[in-house]
Amino acid sequence: MLHRKHKQTIICMALVLCTLAVSGCDYFFGPAQEESVTEDAVLFSTFVQIQIHEWPQGTDPEKVISEAFTEMESTGSIVSVYDENSDINAVNRAAGESVAVSEETFYLLQKALEIAEMTGGAFDPTIGPVVDLWGFYTGEHRVPADDEIEEALARVDVNRIELDEDARTVRVPGDMRLDVEALAKGFAARAGAEHLVKSGITSALITSGQSSLKAVGDGPEGRAWRVGLLHPRAEQDVYAAVELRDGESLSTSGDYQRYFTEDGKRYAHILDPETGYPPRTMQSITVVTPDTVIADGLSTALFVLKPEEVLNRVEQMPDVSVAMMTAEGRVKYCSQMEGRIELVDD
Ligand code: ADP
Ligand code: MG
């Protein structure tokens, strides 16, 4: 039997909206909830939130959230380039040699190769040298010279990653490095969701970082979650609402959260592995699909491609829905998105 607990909802909702406004997340909006528990945390340098709306009798939702946070922290840290002790940095430090990694890291690298394959190489987990050049790791941004980009691109090639499934080892050539940052938030959300499901939670929403959402069960009163997609050029506004159902994940990538400007030009942190430059065909893209890691990786990869190519590719992916704000500020979405998206009038 399900039991619902009263909480200071109004304060909670106000806090949620305020935090999300600051961090620039896409966010859930729906009927005012009288009965829910929401907790925020900063884990692996990332803003994370879990809201639980329904839980079994005898379960302490706050305890479940705290345990889920622990799972998310260890999962995120183990694969982040920003954590010195991560498996990914261990592989990078030992580039040229085979390195044994955890089961989770190995799984994530397999997923990374799958996403690279799905997107014709628009996703490339060896993009690190180029990310470094633009200063996105350190925050010391600059526009590199053409020959620097050329030199860095020579060290980018997803096909040169060697995964040995039996030994569970990874090897990248000596001059290369791994970066699966584009998957870290989705991967952590997946771990958090697994814990919630294991704990019997039947209605919850996980927000991981500025871009990844994971639904556990349907939303309040058995309805779909409604997620507002932030307008990339008016971040206090949403341009559309998208439905998210039990077990589905949503991820947004765009040019409006991590970027710098020089000479009036915007340079965002997602880079095209072919040119070494930030792509300029979209302002943002949102992907909805069941697999949280695929959602996270696809939104990054598809951001690199032209809107028409995205629509063509996604036609072959029946359980993937996408909506884009093009560079010209036009909204485009695929046929799978029809019926679950509602555009907001200006
Ligand atoms: P966010 O959702 O926080 O905006 P993403 O999930 O889109 O971020 O991932 C962006 C990160 O992925 C970059 O900061 C960089 O480390 C890495 N990255 C950039 N370009 C690519 C690419 N083409 N393929 C794979 N990873 C990339
Ligand atoms: Mg991503």
mmCIF file with all atom_site columns, all heavy atoms in Angstrom, residues 190 193 197 202-205 213-219 225 244-250 288-293 295 340:
data_model
loop_
_atom_site.group_PDB
_atom_site.id
_atom_site.type_symbol
_atom_site.label_atom_id
_atom_site.label_alt_id
_atom_site.label_comp_id
_atom_site.label_asym_id
_atom_site.label_entity_id
_atom_site.label_seq_id
_atom_site.pdbx_PDB_ins_code
_atom_site.Cartn_x
_atom_site.Cartn_y
_atom_site.Cartn_z
_atom_site.occupancy
_atom_site.B_iso_or_equiv
_atom_site.pdbx_formal_charge
_atom_site.auth_seq_id
_atom_site.auth_comp_id
_atom_site.auth_asym_id
_atom_site.auth_atom_id
_atom_site.pdbx_PDB_model_num
ATOM 1   N N   . ARG A 1 190 ? 21.323 7.531  -13.713 1.00 0.00 ? 190 ARG A N   1
ATOM 2   C CA  . ARG A 1 190 ? 20.947 6.120  -13.875 1.00 0.00 ? 190 ARG A CA  1
ATOM 3   C C   . ARG A 1 190 ? 21.178 5.365  -12.560 1.00 0.00 ? 190 ARG A C   1
ATOM 4   O O   . ARG A 1 190 ? 20.331 4.592  -12.110 1.00 0.00 ? 190 ARG A O   1
ATOM 5   C CB  . ARG A 1 190 ? 21.804 5.525  -15.001 1.00 0.00 ? 190 ARG A CB  1
ATOM 6   C CG  . ARG A 1 190 ? 21.636 4.065  -15.235 1.00 0.00 ? 190 ARG A CG  1
ATOM 7   C CD  . ARG A 1 190 ? 22.593 3.646  -16.355 1.00 0.00 ? 190 ARG A CD  1
ATOM 8   N NE  . ARG A 1 190 ? 22.466 2.244  -16.690 1.00 0.00 ? 190 ARG A NE  1
ATOM 9   C CZ  . ARG A 1 190 ? 23.152 1.273  -16.106 1.00 0.00 ? 190 ARG A CZ  1
ATOM 10  N NH1 . ARG A 1 190 ? 24.011 1.560  -15.160 1.00 0.00 ? 190 ARG A NH1 1
ATOM 11  N NH2 . ARG A 1 190 ? 22.985 0.016  -16.477 1.00 0.00 ? 190 ARG A NH2 1
ATOM 12  N N   . ALA A 1 193 ? 18.580 6.397  -10.004 1.00 0.00 ? 193 ALA A N   1
ATOM 13  C CA  . ALA A 1 193 ? 17.268 5.817  -10.314 1.00 0.00 ? 193 ALA A CA  1
ATOM 14  C C   . ALA A 1 193 ? 17.223 4.342  -9.923  1.00 0.00 ? 193 ALA A C   1
ATOM 15  O O   . ALA A 1 193 ? 16.230 3.855  -9.373  1.00 0.00 ? 193 ALA A O   1
ATOM 16  C CB  . ALA A 1 193 ? 16.968 5.974  -11.801 1.00 0.00 ? 193 ALA A CB  1
ATOM 17  N N   . VAL A 1 197 ? 14.402 2.711  -7.438  1.00 0.00 ? 197 VAL A N   1
ATOM 18  C CA  . VAL A 1 197 ? 13.553 1.578  -7.840  1.00 0.00 ? 197 VAL A CA  1
ATOM 19  C C   . VAL A 1 197 ? 13.740 0.432  -6.848  1.00 0.00 ? 197 VAL A C   1
ATOM 20  O O   . VAL A 1 197 ? 12.767 -0.158 -6.370  1.00 0.00 ? 197 VAL A O   1
ATOM 21  C CB  . VAL A 1 197 ? 13.888 1.129  -9.289  1.00 0.00 ? 197 VAL A CB  1
ATOM 22  C CG1 . VAL A 1 197 ? 13.207 -0.191 -9.627  1.00 0.00 ? 197 VAL A CG1 1
ATOM 23  C CG2 . VAL A 1 197 ? 13.485 2.216  -10.288 1.00 0.00 ? 197 VAL A CG2 1
ATOM 24  N N   . THR A 1 202 ? 7.941  4.662  -6.298  1.00 0.00 ? 202 THR A N   1
ATOM 25  C CA  . THR A 1 202 ? 7.128  4.492  -7.509  1.00 0.00 ? 202 THR A CA  1
ATOM 26  C C   . THR A 1 202 ? 6.860  5.800  -8.253  1.00 0.00 ? 202 THR A C   1
ATOM 27  O O   . THR A 1 202 ? 6.278  5.790  -9.334  1.00 0.00 ? 202 THR A O   1
ATOM 28  C CB  . THR A 1 202 ? 5.780  3.829  -7.151  1.00 0.00 ? 202 THR A CB  1
ATOM 29  O OG1 . THR A 1 202 ? 5.266  4.489  -5.988  1.00 0.00 ? 202 THR A OG1 1
ATOM 30  C CG2 . THR A 1 202 ? 5.958  2.351  -6.867  1.00 0.00 ? 202 THR A CG2 1
ATOM 31  N N   . SER A 1 203 ? 7.256  6.930  -7.674  1.00 0.00 ? 203 SER A N   1
ATOM 32  C CA  . SER A 1 203 ? 7.103  8.197  -8.395  1.00 0.00 ? 203 SER A CA  1
ATOM 33  C C   . SER A 1 203 ? 8.176  9.167  -7.926  1.00 0.00 ? 203 SER A C   1
ATOM 34  O O   . SER A 1 203 ? 8.133  9.644  -6.789  1.00 0.00 ? 203 SER A O   1
ATOM 35  C CB  . SER A 1 203 ? 5.709  8.786  -8.157  1.00 0.00 ? 203 SER A CB  1
ATOM 36  O OG  . SER A 1 203 ? 5.605  10.045 -8.790  1.00 0.00 ? 203 SER A OG  1
ATOM 37  N N   . ALA A 1 204 ? 9.150  9.426  -8.793  1.00 0.00 ? 204 ALA A N   1
ATOM 38  C CA  . ALA A 1 204 ? 10.255 10.325 -8.422  1.00 0.00 ? 204 ALA A CA  1
ATOM 39  C C   . ALA A 1 204 ? 10.884 10.896 -9.682  1.00 0.00 ? 204 ALA A C   1
ATOM 40  O O   . ALA A 1 204 ? 10.744 10.327 -10.768 1.00 0.00 ? 204 ALA A O   1
ATOM 41  C CB  . ALA A 1 204 ? 11.320 9.562  -7.630  1.00 0.00 ? 204 ALA A CB  1
ATOM 42  N N   . LEU A 1 205 ? 11.546 12.033 -9.511  1.00 0.00 ? 205 LEU A N   1
ATOM 43  C CA  . LEU A 1 205 ? 12.247 12.655 -10.634 1.00 0.00 ? 205 LEU A CA  1
ATOM 44  C C   . LEU A 1 205 ? 13.647 13.054 -10.181 1.00 0.00 ? 205 LEU A C   1
ATOM 45  O O   . LEU A 1 205 ? 13.803 13.704 -9.146  1.00 0.00 ? 205 LEU A O   1
ATOM 46  C CB  . LEU A 1 205 ? 11.475 13.890 -11.115 1.00 0.00 ? 205 LEU A CB  1
ATOM 47  C CG  . LEU A 1 205 ? 11.952 14.482 -12.427 1.00 0.00 ? 205 LEU A CG  1
ATOM 48  C CD1 . LEU A 1 205 ? 11.619 13.558 -13.598 1.00 0.00 ? 205 LEU A CD1 1
ATOM 49  C CD2 . LEU A 1 205 ? 11.307 15.849 -12.679 1.00 0.00 ? 205 LEU A CD2 1
ATOM 50  N N   . LEU A 1 213 ? 17.532 14.612 -16.874 1.00 0.00 ? 213 LEU A N   1
ATOM 51  C CA  . LEU A 1 213 ? 16.424 14.245 -15.991 1.00 0.00 ? 213 LEU A CA  1
ATOM 52  C C   . LEU A 1 213 ? 16.110 12.767 -16.174 1.00 0.00 ? 213 LEU A C   1
ATOM 53  O O   . LEU A 1 213 ? 16.184 12.249 -17.284 1.00 0.00 ? 213 LEU A O   1
ATOM 54  C CB  . LEU A 1 213 ? 15.161 15.038 -16.346 1.00 0.00 ? 213 LEU A CB  1
ATOM 55  C CG  . LEU A 1 213 ? 15.145 16.547 -16.164 1.00 0.00 ? 213 LEU A CG  1
ATOM 56  C CD1 . LEU A 1 213 ? 13.808 17.105 -16.632 1.00 0.00 ? 213 LEU A CD1 1
ATOM 57  C CD2 . LEU A 1 213 ? 15.351 16.899 -14.710 1.00 0.00 ? 213 LEU A CD2 1
ATOM 58  N N   . LYS A 1 214 ? 15.733 12.116 -15.070 1.00 0.00 ? 214 LYS A N   1
ATOM 59  C CA  . LYS A 1 214 ? 15.331 10.719 -15.141 1.00 0.00 ? 214 LYS A CA  1
ATOM 60  C C   . LYS A 1 214 ? 14.035 10.541 -14.354 1.00 0.00 ? 214 LYS A C   1
ATOM 61  O O   . LYS A 1 214 ? 13.955 10.932 -13.186 1.00 0.00 ? 214 LYS A O   1
ATOM 62  C CB  . LYS A 1 214 ? 16.433 9.839  -14.531 1.00 0.00 ? 214 LYS A CB  1
ATOM 63  C CG  . LYS A 1 214 ? 16.073 8.375  -14.420 1.00 0.00 ? 214 LYS A CG  1
ATOM 64  C CD  . LYS A 1 214 ? 16.112 7.697  -15.754 1.00 0.00 ? 214 LYS A CD  1
ATOM 65  C CE  . LYS A 1 214 ? 15.922 6.202  -15.667 1.00 0.00 ? 214 LYS A CE  1
ATOM 66  N NZ  . LYS A 1 214 ? 15.806 5.586  -17.001 1.00 0.00 ? 214 LYS A NZ  1
ATOM 67  N N   . ALA A 1 215 ? 13.017 9.944  -14.984 1.00 0.00 ? 215 ALA A N   1
ATOM 68  C CA  . ALA A 1 215 ? 11.733 9.696  -14.318 1.00 0.00 ? 215 ALA A CA  1
ATOM 69  C C   . ALA A 1 215 ? 11.703 8.277  -13.764 1.00 0.00 ? 215 ALA A C   1
ATOM 70  O O   . ALA A 1 215 ? 12.011 7.324  -14.476 1.00 0.00 ? 215 ALA A O   1
ATOM 71  C CB  . ALA A 1 215 ? 10.594 9.882  -15.315 1.00 0.00 ? 215 ALA A CB  1
ATOM 72  N N   . VAL A 1 216 ? 11.346 8.166  -12.503 1.00 0.00 ? 216 VAL A N   1
ATOM 73  C CA  . VAL A 1 216 ? 11.089 6.858  -11.896 1.00 0.00 ? 216 VAL A CA  1
ATOM 74  C C   . VAL A 1 216 ? 9.590  6.814  -11.668 1.00 0.00 ? 216 VAL A C   1
ATOM 75  O O   . VAL A 1 216 ? 9.060  7.578  -10.857 1.00 0.00 ? 216 VAL A O   1
ATOM 76  C CB  . VAL A 1 216 ? 11.854 6.700  -10.564 1.00 0.00 ? 216 VAL A CB  1
ATOM 77  C CG1 . VAL A 1 216 ? 11.423 5.431  -9.831  1.00 0.00 ? 216 VAL A CG1 1
ATOM 78  C CG2 . VAL A 1 216 ? 13.357 6.683  -10.796 1.00 0.00 ? 216 VAL A CG2 1
ATOM 79  N N   . GLY A 1 217 ? 8.894  6.000  -12.410 1.00 0.00 ? 217 GLY A N   1
ATOM 80  C CA  . GLY A 1 217 ? 7.436  5.994  -12.347 1.00 0.00 ? 217 GLY A CA  1
ATOM 81  C C   . GLY A 1 217 ? 6.871  7.217  -13.054 1.00 0.00 ? 217 GLY A C   1
ATOM 82  O O   . GLY A 1 217 ? 7.617  8.074  -13.551 1.00 0.00 ? 217 GLY A O   1
ATOM 83  N N   . ASP A 1 218 ? 5.552  7.310  -13.089 1.00 0.00 ? 218 ASP A N   1
ATOM 84  C CA  . ASP A 1 218 ? 4.924  8.499  -13.657 1.00 0.00 ? 218 ASP A CA  1
ATOM 85  C C   . ASP A 1 218 ? 4.909  9.600  -12.604 1.00 0.00 ? 218 ASP A C   1
ATOM 86  O O   . ASP A 1 218 ? 5.282  9.379  -11.462 1.00 0.00 ? 218 ASP A O   1
ATOM 87  C CB  . ASP A 1 218 ? 3.505  8.170  -14.137 1.00 0.00 ? 218 ASP A CB  1
ATOM 88  C CG  . ASP A 1 218 ? 3.541  7.462  -15.499 1.00 0.00 ? 218 ASP A CG  1
ATOM 89  O OD1 . ASP A 1 218 ? 4.464  7.735  -16.293 1.00 0.00 ? 218 ASP A OD1 1
ATOM 90  O OD2 . ASP A 1 218 ? 2.659  6.631  -15.749 1.00 0.00 ? 218 ASP A OD2 1
ATOM 91  N N   . GLY A 1 219 ? 4.435  10.779 -13.015 1.00 0.00 ? 219 GLY A N   1
ATOM 92  C CA  . GLY A 1 219 ? 4.400  11.915 -12.110 1.00 0.00 ? 219 GLY A CA  1
ATOM 93  C C   . GLY A 1 219 ? 3.226  11.831 -11.142 1.00 0.00 ? 219 GLY A C   1
ATOM 94  O O   . GLY A 1 219 ? 2.524  10.816 -11.088 1.00 0.00 ? 219 GLY A O   1
ATOM 95  N N   . TRP A 1 225 ? 5.137  13.285 -16.338 1.00 0.00 ? 225 TRP A N   1
ATOM 96  C CA  . TRP A 1 225 ? 5.852  14.474 -15.877 1.00 0.00 ? 225 TRP A CA  1
ATOM 97  C C   . TRP A 1 225 ? 5.821  15.475 -17.015 1.00 0.00 ? 225 TRP A C   1
ATOM 98  O O   . TRP A 1 225 ? 5.912  15.085 -18.180 1.00 0.00 ? 225 TRP A O   1
ATOM 99  C CB  . TRP A 1 225 ? 7.310  14.144 -15.571 1.00 0.00 ? 225 TRP A CB  1
ATOM 100 C CG  . TRP A 1 225 ? 7.513  13.063 -14.559 1.00 0.00 ? 225 TRP A CG  1
ATOM 101 C CD1 . TRP A 1 225 ? 7.675  11.730 -14.817 1.00 0.00 ? 225 TRP A CD1 1
ATOM 102 C CD2 . TRP A 1 225 ? 7.579  13.198 -13.151 1.00 0.00 ? 225 TRP A CD2 1
ATOM 103 N NE1 . TRP A 1 225 ? 7.845  11.035 -13.651 1.00 0.00 ? 225 TRP A NE1 1
ATOM 104 C CE2 . TRP A 1 225 ? 7.789  11.915 -12.608 1.00 0.00 ? 225 TRP A CE2 1
ATOM 105 C CE3 . TRP A 1 225 ? 7.483  14.292 -12.275 1.00 0.00 ? 225 TRP A CE3 1
ATOM 106 C CZ2 . TRP A 1 225 ? 7.907  11.681 -11.239 1.00 0.00 ? 225 TRP A CZ2 1
ATOM 107 C CZ3 . TRP A 1 225 ? 7.605  14.054 -10.910 1.00 0.00 ? 225 TRP A CZ3 1
ATOM 108 C CH2 . TRP A 1 225 ? 7.813  12.773 -10.402 1.00 0.00 ? 225 TRP A CH2 1
ATOM 109 N N   . LEU A 1 244 ? 7.233  13.376 -20.030 1.00 0.00 ? 244 LEU A N   1
ATOM 110 C CA  . LEU A 1 244 ? 8.211  12.353 -19.679 1.00 0.00 ? 244 LEU A CA  1
ATOM 111 C C   . LEU A 1 244 ? 7.465  11.272 -18.909 1.00 0.00 ? 244 LEU A C   1
ATOM 112 O O   . LEU A 1 244 ? 6.770  11.571 -17.942 1.00 0.00 ? 244 LEU A O   1
ATOM 113 C CB  . LEU A 1 244 ? 9.286  13.010 -18.791 1.00 0.00 ? 244 LEU A CB  1
ATOM 114 C CG  . LEU A 1 244 ? 10.636 12.349 -18.677 1.00 0.00 ? 244 LEU A CG  1
ATOM 115 C CD1 . LEU A 1 244 ? 11.307 12.236 -20.027 1.00 0.00 ? 244 LEU A CD1 1
ATOM 116 C CD2 . LEU A 1 244 ? 11.513 13.140 -17.712 1.00 0.00 ? 244 LEU A CD2 1
ATOM 117 N N   . ARG A 1 245 ? 7.609  10.027 -19.370 1.00 0.00 ? 245 ARG A N   1
ATOM 118 C CA  . ARG A 1 245 ? 6.881  8.913  -18.761 1.00 0.00 ? 245 ARG A CA  1
ATOM 119 C C   . ARG A 1 245 ? 7.795  8.020  -17.924 1.00 0.00 ? 245 ARG A C   1
ATOM 120 O O   . ARG A 1 245 ? 9.013  8.151  -17.976 1.00 0.00 ? 245 ARG A O   1
ATOM 121 C CB  . ARG A 1 245 ? 6.235  8.071  -19.870 1.00 0.00 ? 245 ARG A CB  1
ATOM 122 C CG  . ARG A 1 245 ? 5.028  8.724  -20.505 1.00 0.00 ? 245 ARG A CG  1
ATOM 123 C CD  . ARG A 1 245 ? 3.793  8.389  -19.681 1.00 0.00 ? 245 ARG A CD  1
ATOM 124 N NE  . ARG A 1 245 ? 2.601  9.047  -20.182 1.00 0.00 ? 245 ARG A NE  1
ATOM 125 C CZ  . ARG A 1 245 ? 1.500  9.242  -19.443 1.00 0.00 ? 245 ARG A CZ  1
ATOM 126 N NH1 . ARG A 1 245 ? 1.458  8.837  -18.193 1.00 0.00 ? 245 ARG A NH1 1
ATOM 127 N NH2 . ARG A 1 245 ? 0.460  9.839  -19.960 1.00 0.00 ? 245 ARG A NH2 1
ATOM 128 N N   . ASP A 1 246 ? 7.181  7.091  -17.235 1.00 0.00 ? 246 ASP A N   1
ATOM 129 C CA  . ASP A 1 246 ? 7.871  6.125  -16.383 1.00 0.00 ? 246 ASP A CA  1
ATOM 130 C C   . ASP A 1 246 ? 9.163  5.581  -17.027 1.00 0.00 ? 246 ASP A C   1
ATOM 131 O O   . ASP A 1 246 ? 9.106  4.977  -18.093 1.00 0.00 ? 246 ASP A O   1
ATOM 132 C CB  . ASP A 1 246 ? 6.889  4.965  -16.115 1.00 0.00 ? 246 ASP A CB  1
ATOM 133 C CG  . ASP A 1 246 ? 7.491  3.912  -15.217 1.00 0.00 ? 246 ASP A CG  1
ATOM 134 O OD1 . ASP A 1 246 ? 8.596  4.126  -14.696 1.00 0.00 ? 246 ASP A OD1 1
ATOM 135 O OD2 . ASP A 1 246 ? 6.839  2.861  -15.025 1.00 0.00 ? 246 ASP A OD2 1
ATOM 136 N N   . GLY A 1 247 ? 10.263 5.794  -16.379 1.00 0.00 ? 247 GLY A N   1
ATOM 137 C CA  . GLY A 1 247 ? 11.543 5.226  -16.823 1.00 0.00 ? 247 GLY A CA  1
ATOM 138 C C   . GLY A 1 247 ? 12.234 6.021  -17.906 1.00 0.00 ? 247 GLY A C   1
ATOM 139 O O   . GLY A 1 247 ? 13.352 5.676  -18.306 1.00 0.00 ? 247 GLY A O   1
ATOM 140 N N   . GLU A 1 248 ? 11.610 7.081  -18.395 1.00 0.00 ? 248 GLU A N   1
ATOM 141 C CA  . GLU A 1 248 ? 12.238 7.838  -19.480 1.00 0.00 ? 248 GLU A CA  1
ATOM 142 C C   . GLU A 1 248 ? 13.254 8.863  -18.957 1.00 0.00 ? 248 GLU A C   1
ATOM 143 O O   . GLU A 1 248 ? 13.181 9.305  -17.816 1.00 0.00 ? 248 GLU A O   1
ATOM 144 C CB  . GLU A 1 248 ? 11.171 8.554  -20.309 1.00 0.00 ? 248 GLU A CB  1
ATOM 145 C CG  . GLU A 1 248 ? 10.369 7.572  -21.161 1.00 0.00 ? 248 GLU A CG  1
ATOM 146 C CD  . GLU A 1 248 ? 9.345  8.262  -22.035 1.00 0.00 ? 248 GLU A CD  1
ATOM 147 O OE1 . GLU A 1 248 ? 8.853  9.342  -21.653 1.00 0.00 ? 248 GLU A OE1 1
ATOM 148 O OE2 . GLU A 1 248 ? 9.016  7.706  -23.086 1.00 0.00 ? 248 GLU A OE2 1
ATOM 149 N N   . SER A 1 249 ? 14.165 9.214  -19.845 1.00 0.00 ? 249 SER A N   1
ATOM 150 C CA  . SER A 1 249 ? 15.207 10.191 -19.514 1.00 0.00 ? 249 SER A CA  1
ATOM 151 C C   . SER A 1 249 ? 15.126 11.335 -20.500 1.00 0.00 ? 249 SER A C   1
ATOM 152 O O   . SER A 1 249 ? 14.737 11.140 -21.650 1.00 0.00 ? 249 SER A O   1
ATOM 153 C CB  . SER A 1 249 ? 16.579 9.551  -19.673 1.00 0.00 ? 249 SER A CB  1
ATOM 154 O OG  . SER A 1 249 ? 16.572 8.260  -19.144 1.00 0.00 ? 249 SER A OG  1
ATOM 155 N N   . LEU A 1 250 ? 15.519 12.500 -20.025 1.00 0.00 ? 250 LEU A N   1
ATOM 156 C CA  . LEU A 1 250 ? 15.538 13.675 -20.906 1.00 0.00 ? 250 LEU A CA  1
ATOM 157 C C   . LEU A 1 250 ? 16.887 14.359 -20.740 1.00 0.00 ? 250 LEU A C   1
ATOM 158 O O   . LEU A 1 250 ? 17.363 14.527 -19.616 1.00 0.00 ? 250 LEU A O   1
ATOM 159 C CB  . LEU A 1 250 ? 14.391 14.610 -20.519 1.00 0.00 ? 250 LEU A CB  1
ATOM 160 C CG  . LEU A 1 250 ? 14.270 15.932 -21.295 1.00 0.00 ? 250 LEU A CG  1
ATOM 161 C CD1 . LEU A 1 250 ? 12.787 16.307 -21.439 1.00 0.00 ? 250 LEU A CD1 1
ATOM 162 C CD2 . LEU A 1 250 ? 15.018 17.059 -20.620 1.00 0.00 ? 250 LEU A CD2 1
ATOM 163 N N   . VAL A 1 288 ? 14.683 12.738 -25.647 1.00 0.00 ? 288 VAL A N   1
ATOM 164 C CA  . VAL A 1 288 ? 13.954 11.900 -24.684 1.00 0.00 ? 288 VAL A CA  1
ATOM 165 C C   . VAL A 1 288 ? 14.063 10.453 -25.149 1.00 0.00 ? 288 VAL A C   1
ATOM 166 O O   . VAL A 1 288 ? 13.784 10.149 -26.311 1.00 0.00 ? 288 VAL A O   1
ATOM 167 C CB  . VAL A 1 288 ? 12.456 12.289 -24.603 1.00 0.00 ? 288 VAL A CB  1
ATOM 168 C CG1 . VAL A 1 288 ? 11.712 11.355 -23.635 1.00 0.00 ? 288 VAL A CG1 1
ATOM 169 C CG2 . VAL A 1 288 ? 12.294 13.731 -24.164 1.00 0.00 ? 288 VAL A CG2 1
ATOM 170 N N   . THR A 1 289 ? 14.493 9.579  -24.238 1.00 0.00 ? 289 THR A N   1
ATOM 171 C CA  . THR A 1 289 ? 14.631 8.152  -24.560 1.00 0.00 ? 289 THR A CA  1
ATOM 172 C C   . THR A 1 289 ? 14.767 7.403  -23.236 1.00 0.00 ? 289 THR A C   1
ATOM 173 O O   . THR A 1 289 ? 15.120 8.010  -22.225 1.00 0.00 ? 289 THR A O   1
ATOM 174 C CB  . THR A 1 289 ? 15.862 7.931  -25.494 1.00 0.00 ? 289 THR A CB  1
ATOM 175 O OG1 . THR A 1 289 ? 15.778 6.652  -26.099 1.00 0.00 ? 289 THR A OG1 1
ATOM 176 C CG2 . THR A 1 289 ? 17.177 8.067  -24.758 1.00 0.00 ? 289 THR A CG2 1
ATOM 177 N N   . PRO A 1 290 ? 14.479 6.083  -23.197 1.00 0.00 ? 290 PRO A N   1
ATOM 178 C CA  . PRO A 1 290 ? 14.558 5.402  -21.896 1.00 0.00 ? 290 PRO A CA  1
ATOM 179 C C   . PRO A 1 290 ? 15.961 5.374  -21.281 1.00 0.00 ? 290 PRO A C   1
ATOM 180 O O   . PRO A 1 290 ? 16.109 5.607  -20.093 1.00 0.00 ? 290 PRO A O   1
ATOM 181 C CB  . PRO A 1 290 ? 14.085 3.974  -22.224 1.00 0.00 ? 290 PRO A CB  1
ATOM 182 C CG  . PRO A 1 290 ? 13.226 4.128  -23.445 1.00 0.00 ? 290 PRO A CG  1
ATOM 183 C CD  . PRO A 1 290 ? 13.854 5.240  -24.237 1.00 0.00 ? 290 PRO A CD  1
ATOM 184 N N   . ASP A 1 291 ? 16.990 5.108  -22.069 1.00 0.00 ? 291 ASP A N   1
ATOM 185 C CA  . ASP A 1 291 ? 18.339 4.934  -21.509 1.00 0.00 ? 291 ASP A CA  1
ATOM 186 C C   . ASP A 1 291 ? 18.964 6.303  -21.172 1.00 0.00 ? 291 ASP A C   1
ATOM 187 O O   . ASP A 1 291 ? 19.170 7.140  -22.051 1.00 0.00 ? 291 ASP A O   1
ATOM 188 C CB  . ASP A 1 291 ? 19.201 4.185  -22.544 1.00 0.00 ? 291 ASP A CB  1
ATOM 189 C CG  . ASP A 1 291 ? 20.561 3.801  -21.993 1.00 0.00 ? 291 ASP A CG  1
ATOM 190 O OD1 . ASP A 1 291 ? 21.245 4.671  -21.411 1.00 0.00 ? 291 ASP A OD1 1
ATOM 191 O OD2 . ASP A 1 291 ? 20.942 2.633  -22.142 1.00 0.00 ? 291 ASP A OD2 1
ATOM 192 N N   . THR A 1 292 ? 19.278 6.485  -19.902 1.00 0.00 ? 292 THR A N   1
ATOM 193 C CA  . THR A 1 292 ? 19.749 7.788  -19.416 1.00 0.00 ? 292 THR A CA  1
ATOM 194 C C   . THR A 1 292 ? 21.113 8.174  -20.000 1.00 0.00 ? 292 THR A C   1
ATOM 195 O O   . THR A 1 292 ? 21.364 9.346  -20.276 1.00 0.00 ? 292 THR A O   1
ATOM 196 C CB  . THR A 1 292 ? 19.846 7.758  -17.874 1.00 0.00 ? 292 THR A CB  1
ATOM 197 O OG1 . THR A 1 292 ? 18.703 7.064  -17.380 1.00 0.00 ? 292 THR A OG1 1
ATOM 198 C CG2 . THR A 1 292 ? 19.853 9.134  -17.285 1.00 0.00 ? 292 THR A CG2 1
ATOM 199 N N   . VAL A 1 293 ? 21.978 7.188  -20.172 1.00 0.00 ? 293 VAL A N   1
ATOM 200 C CA  . VAL A 1 293 ? 23.313 7.480  -20.716 1.00 0.00 ? 293 VAL A CA  1
ATOM 201 C C   . VAL A 1 293 ? 23.202 7.819  -22.204 1.00 0.00 ? 293 VAL A C   1
ATOM 202 O O   . VAL A 1 293 ? 23.840 8.763  -22.694 1.00 0.00 ? 293 VAL A O   1
ATOM 203 C CB  . VAL A 1 293 ? 24.263 6.276  -20.485 1.00 0.00 ? 293 VAL A CB  1
ATOM 204 C CG1 . VAL A 1 293 ? 25.593 6.504  -21.167 1.00 0.00 ? 293 VAL A CG1 1
ATOM 205 C CG2 . VAL A 1 293 ? 24.456 6.041  -18.993 1.00 0.00 ? 293 VAL A CG2 1
ATOM 206 N N   . ALA A 1 295 ? 20.620 9.105  -23.646 1.00 0.00 ? 295 ALA A N   1
ATOM 207 C CA  . ALA A 1 295 ? 20.012 10.446 -23.741 1.00 0.00 ? 295 ALA A CA  1
ATOM 208 C C   . ALA A 1 295 ? 21.091 11.513 -23.596 1.00 0.00 ? 295 ALA A C   1
ATOM 209 O O   . ALA A 1 295 ? 21.178 12.442 -24.406 1.00 0.00 ? 295 ALA A O   1
ATOM 210 C CB  . ALA A 1 295 ? 18.941 10.615 -22.660 1.00 0.00 ? 295 ALA A CB  1
ATOM 211 N N   . ARG A 1 340 ? 3.790  14.591 -27.639 1.00 0.00 ? 340 ARG A N   1
ATOM 212 C CA  . ARG A 1 340 ? 4.339  14.743 -26.281 1.00 0.00 ? 340 ARG A CA  1
ATOM 213 C C   . ARG A 1 340 ? 4.966  16.126 -26.066 1.00 0.00 ? 340 ARG A C   1
ATOM 214 O O   . ARG A 1 340 ? 5.471  16.411 -24.997 1.00 0.00 ? 340 ARG A O   1
ATOM 215 C CB  . ARG A 1 340 ? 5.330  13.636 -25.950 1.00 0.00 ? 340 ARG A CB  1
ATOM 216 C CG  . ARG A 1 340 ? 6.620  13.670 -26.712 1.00 0.00 ? 340 ARG A CG  1
ATOM 217 C CD  . ARG A 1 340 ? 7.726  13.011 -25.923 1.00 0.00 ? 340 ARG A CD  1
ATOM 218 N NE  . ARG A 1 340 ? 7.720  11.570 -25.968 1.00 0.00 ? 340 ARG A NE  1
ATOM 219 C CZ  . ARG A 1 340 ? 8.023  10.800 -24.925 1.00 0.00 ? 340 ARG A CZ  1
ATOM 220 N NH1 . ARG A 1 340 ? 8.312  11.339 -23.764 1.00 0.00 ? 340 ARG A NH1 1
ATOM 221 N NH2 . ARG A 1 340 ? 8.040  9.493  -25.034 1.00 0.00 ? 340 ARG A NH2 1
#
